[in-house]
Amino acid sequence: MANCPKGHLSTELDYCSECGTKMPTDNLSSSGSAAPVNNLAARATNRIACPACSAPHHADDGKFCEICGYNFSTGQTVDLSVATLTPPPPMVVPISTETVKQIVAKNEAVLPPASNIAITGWQITIRIDPALATPLSPPAPVQAPIQILLHKTTNLIGRTSIAKGVLPDIPLDFDDAVSHRHALLIVQADGSLVVRDIGSSNGVQFKDDDLETMADVPLQHGDVFCLGHWTAIEVQKQSGVEVP
């Protein structure tokens, strides 16, 4: 083994096999012998030519040719361009209606006592509409409509991400085409309701048009906007509730 300037023991004499630092030209093994030179000579003797592209290869370098991907164990050539550029198909993990309700319940659990909650006068109903699917959409899940009462004036629509610390007020974890931070439902000072696309990947559709990013679009009782693969959200003004 040769001594690397950074303190590693390297099996190579030109560049450190651990960190890639250029090795001193007079570097010897820790015992003072020229063992590394003999090791290099052995590697040179044991090199073979790749049957597919003729590139030199040593068994210690692994079972694949670094140039063409030839597998010395199976005798097959791996198409490196396809293996590198073709992403795996997206994995859709369906989340049940009950799970979504539990997430909503956890969000509501951290709200102030009911007497201190400002009543917004709005609620939403979330439905799965298979007719909204595109040819690239996965099969729509079968689940009952979900109703959520809007307690807050600003409500985040998106998908839950524990790693990113995103806990939407309106979680749509069953639809992987919904961004973690997708849109906002905002109750204005006069009690009216608007929806705002906050830079989502796949947008928000309302009345067959894509909403402009960061633009507030007014909503009326019974209006429906769509997002994701097949998620439709209907807004409803609560009867008998006076909004400021």
Side-chain angles (χ1 to χ4, degrees):
M1 304 292 283
N3 295 319
C4 164
K6 293 188 176 181
H8 303 120
L9 290 179
S10 173
T11 59
E12 305 291 344
L13 287 182
D14 48 359
Y15 293 93
C16 176
S17 59
E18 290 292 327
C19 67
T21 301
K22 185 172 179 61
M23 301 286 287
T25 55
D26 58 347
N27 211 332
L28 297 177
S29 68
S30 58
S31 62
S33 67
V37 176
N38 294 334
N39 183 49
L40 289 176
R43 284 179 59 83
T45 303
N46 293 331
R47 283 191 179 277
I48 61 174
C50 172
C53 69
S54 301
H57 179 80
H58 190 277
D60 291 343
D61 295 333
K63 66 179 181 179
F64 294 100
C65 174
E66 295 180 353
I67 304 302
C68 69
Y70 178 82
N71 189 324
F72 288 88
S73 298
T74 65
Q76 297 178 336
T77 300
V78 177
D79 189 342
L80 294 179
S81 63
V82 173
T84 302
L85 299 178
T86 303
M91 181 176 64
V92 179
V93 181
I95 298 182
S96 66
T97 303
E98 187 59 34
T99 300
V100 175
K101 289 181 178 179
Q102 291 175 2
I103 294 173
V104 173
K106 288 181 180 179
N107 287 340
E108 292 182 344
V110 300
L111 292 172
S115 59
N116 296 330
I117 297 177
I119 299 176
T120 66
W122 292 93
Q123 70 177 17
I124 63 170
T125 300
I126 304 169
R127 295 185 176 87
I128 301 299
D129 185 355
L132 299 174
T134 69
L136 299 179
S137 298
V142 178
Q143 63 182 41
I146 302 170
Q147 286 192 328
I148 298 177
L149 191 66
L150 300 186
H151 292 293
K152 301 163 62 177
T153 54
T154 301
N155 303 270
L156 175 64
I157 303 173
R159 285 189 298 118
T160 303
S161 173
I162 302 301
K164 296 179 179 179
V166 181
L167 295 174
D169 305 290
I170 304 170
L172 304 178
D173 296 343
F174 48 80
D175 192 332
D176 72 340
V178 174
S179 300
H180 290 296
R181 295 181 177 89
H182 199 107
L184 295 176
L185 271 178
I186 305 171
V187 181
Q188 308 281 61
D190 63 357
S192 61
L193 186 66
V194 300
V195 60
R196 178 192 302 168
D197 183 345
I198 54 176
S200 63
S201 298
N202 297 311
V204 177
Q205 294 74 45
F206 179 54
K207 296 183 178 179
D208 298 324
D209 287 327
D210 289 328
L211 298 190
E212 182 180 345
T213 301
M214 302 307 292
D216 290 346
V217 177
L219 298 172
Q220 305 295 328
H221 174 78
D223 280 345
V224 177
F225 62 91
C226 307
L227 62 162
H229 288 299
W230 10 244
T231 301
I233 299 180
E234 179 182 356
V235 300
Q236 298 136 346
K237 194 171 182 179
Q238 295 174 269
S239 59
V241 176
E242 301 244 350
V243 293

